[in-house]
Amino acid sequence: MTIQNTKNLRKQIAPFEQSTTKESIWQIINTIGPFLILWYLAYMSLSVSYWLTLIPAILAAGFLTRIFIIFHDCTHHSFFKNRRANRIVGTCMGVLTLFPFDQWGHEHSVHHATSGNLDKRGTGDIWTLTVDEYLAAPLKLRFAYRFYRNPLVMFGLGPIYVFLLKNRFNRKGARKKEKMNTYLTNALIAVLVVLLCLAVGWQSFLLVQGTIFMISGSVGIWLFYVQHTFEDSYFEENEEWEYVLAAVEGSSFYKLPKLMQFLTGNIGYHHVHHLSPRVPNYKLEMAHNNTEPLENVPTITLATSLQSLRFRLWDEENKNFVSFKDIKYITKKSVPVQVKSEL
């Protein structure tokens, strides 16, 4: 893709960057409303059987994922035209999804600005080592990386660590405004939890919200993982890295069934989102369908996305992801490399 083509591509996306207040408000209604109803049904069904509770809980987890997408759009200031409206709604959605608005907004902005850049890994992304880095790493670091990349850890312990623990603390170097937003979010979460425990009992609260949280948390991490971890993704050293190429080649088009596309807020059109974070989620599909160069972006389906579970390391020489087993057949280079660890 030439420089002229990348400029034209961004121009073609520009008309879809305007949010529509009516559509944004309607999305809040058709997301929060069903979530609250399903949460209540899950609670009521506990008196019959926990197995029955799983039905509304799974659906509620889908709507909680959709709530996160609203939060996500607000951090990009793409959900409303007014920045203050984005901040207020985003902070409220952050309470429901356990994410501080400013803290995550900062990390996610860094992710967008550095996605696929091998020299700028470590903030707001999935920990990824190259083959050479892994082969040169000490045994302790290899073990830590394998532990981190284990699906049970990433999609099981991951939500607990990130949502419940990491998000409760401010990052080093955070400004006062960001710190205060984290404190406010934590306080509101605590108040909400106490009120719900008083209303339904702490056991019922844990059974209902705990189930919803684990399902939606795992789905959220899976979506983030699979949309950047597919075989022929995009990673380059800083000198060769290019924003538009990182967006259209390093972010997948995750083609999902319509119901799942609805519950995940169209985030499967991740290439469009990375190309322009200002496009609200309800216009991502429209932008994709009306931008001809995007017809040939990397596309994955539910079935093919499962292959990403075996991808562990980036092979710089062949420009693709490989598994741990694959490196047995890759000759270790003699040139020393600097290992990039998780920050």
Side-chain angles (χ1 to χ4, degrees), residues 129 131-142 332 337 339:
L129 292 180
V131 170
D132 289 341
E133 288 171 343
Y134 179 80
L135 292 174
L139 186 61
K140 182 179 179 181
L141 184 58
R142 287 194 192 190
K332 180 180 178 181
V337 293
V339 180

Side-chain angles (χ1 to χ4, degrees), residues 67-118:
I67 289 172
F68 178 81
I69 298 302
I70 294 175
F71 162 81
H72 167 262
D73 275 14
C74 287
T75 63
H76 284 296
H77 296 283
S78 63
F79 199 65
F80 291 108
K81 295 181 178 70
N82 184 279
R83 290 183 68 87
R84 188 175 183 183
N86 280 304
R87 184 174 184 80
I88 293 172
V89 172
T91 298
C92 292
M93 299 299 127
V95 171
L96 295 177
T97 57
L98 307 181
F99 275 86
F101 181 83
D102 285 320
Q103 180 191 117
W104 194 80
H106 168 81
E107 289 191 357
H108 196 59
S109 293
V110 174
H111 164 67
H112 272 264
T114 61
S115 180
N117 191 320
L118 289 171

Side-chain angles (χ1 to χ4, degrees), residues 125-293:
D125 56 8
I126 299 290
W127 185 18
T128 302
L129 292 180
T130 66
V131 170
D132 289 341
E133 288 171 343
Y134 179 80
L135 292 174
L139 186 61
K140 182 179 179 181
L141 184 58
R142 287 194 192 190
F143 176 80
Y145 187 72
R146 280 179 174 268
F147 180 78
Y148 174 92
R149 282 276 179 166
N150 185 293
L152 293 178
V153 174
M154 184 173 290
F155 307 115
L157 297 179
I160 297 173
Y161 169 70
V162 175
F163 295 18
L164 295 183
L165 299 176
K166 181 176 178 291
N167 286 350
R168 307 283 67 81
F169 301 95
N170 283 300
R171 63 182 178 85
K172 185 178 180 181
R175 295 182 179 182
K176 183 178 179 180
K177 183 179 179 181
E178 183 178 325
K179 290 181 179 180
M180 294 305 295
N181 180 261
T182 300
Y183 298 148
L184 174 63
T185 301
N186 289 344
L188 291 174
I189 290 172
V191 170
L192 184 59
V193 169
V194 169
L195 290 176
L196 284 171
C197 286
L198 290 174
V200 304
W202 67 268
Q203 298 99 327
S204 296
F205 171 77
L206 287 179
L207 286 172
V208 174
Q209 187 59 29
T211 302
I212 294 171
F213 162 74
M214 284 305 301
I215 296 172
S216 63
S218 297
V219 168
I221 291 179
W222 167 255
L223 287 170
F224 189 81
Y225 173 83
V226 76
Q227 288 168 337
H228 294 287
T229 310
F230 49 95
E231 187 169 9
D232 300 315
S233 188
Y234 176 93
F235 283 91
E236 293 288 352
E237 300 290 344
N238 189 55
E239 296 78 12
E240 302 295 327
W241 183 85
E242 209 284 321
Y243 180 88
V244 173
L245 290 179
V248 298
E249 295 181 11
S251 305
S252 66
F253 169 29
Y254 197 9
K255 197 170 184 177
L256 296 168
K258 284 300 180 181
L259 176 59
M260 296 184 71
Q261 181 183 325
F262 172 81
L263 292 175
T264 57
N266 297 310
I267 201 61
Y269 294 91
H270 210 59
H271 55 298
V272 181
H273 172 63
H274 264 263
L275 190 59
S276 176
R278 299 291 299 184
V279 178
N281 72 82
Y282 47 78
K283 289 187 177 181
L284 290 174
E285 182 177 12
M286 190 188 308
H288 170 84
N289 292 338
N290 289 277
T291 308
E292 188 176 344

Side-chain angles (χ1 to χ4, degrees), residues 132 136 333-339:
D132 289 341
K333 294 180 180 179
S334 59
V335 181
V337 293
Q338 182 180 357
V339 180

